[in-house]
Amino acid sequence: MPDALSRRRSRPASRSADVRRRYVLKALERPRTQSELRDALGMSNSGILHLLRRLERDGLARPAERVAWTRIWEKAENRH
């Protein structure tokens, strides 16, 4: 009988990444702090920053402002 670890490995990693990406895009309907997104997804600081940077690279999100040490992110405007 397979243990939990082997079952977890058999799932496609891109599926959970896609779910996180969709959640962040939906959550960014209004500006959110990086820590709000991190806590909602149960990710590490570096993990959520990596995800937000990829969304920024793809033109889907951008850092809106910074208040002290807190970075606030928002959905990027579509320029189509």
Side-chain angles (χ1 to χ4, degrees), residues 44-58:
S44 66
N45 285 325
S46 60
I48 193 65
L49 182 58
H50 185 70
L51 175 59
L52 289 166
R53 293 283 186 207
R54 282 193 317 248
L55 292 172
E56 181 182 23
R57 179 198 65 203
D58 295 342

Side-chain angles (χ1 to χ4, degrees), residues 11-77:
R11 285 186 285 165
S14 62
R15 181 176 173 207
S16 58
D18 189 46
V19 169
R20 287 191 300 265
R21 184 178 174 109
R22 283 189 307 227
Y23 176 85
V24 169
L25 289 173
K26 180 69 176 163
L28 289 177
E29 293 295 325
R30 74 168 182 85
R32 304 275 182 168
T33 65
Q34 187 172 317
S35 60
E36 284 178 304
L37 297 168
R38 179 201 64 214
D39 293 344
L41 290 168
M43 297 178 74
S44 66
N45 285 325
S46 60
I48 193 65
L49 182 58
H50 185 70
L51 175 59
L52 289 166
R53 293 283 186 207
R54 282 193 317 248
L55 292 172
E56 181 182 23
R57 179 198 65 203
D58 295 342
L60 299 171
R62 68 183 188 94
E65 62 182 290
R66 188 178 202 133
V67 179
W69 296 103
T70 304
R71 178 167 282 156
I72 300 171
W73 290 80
E74 66 184 7
K75 194 177 243 186
E77 298 176 16

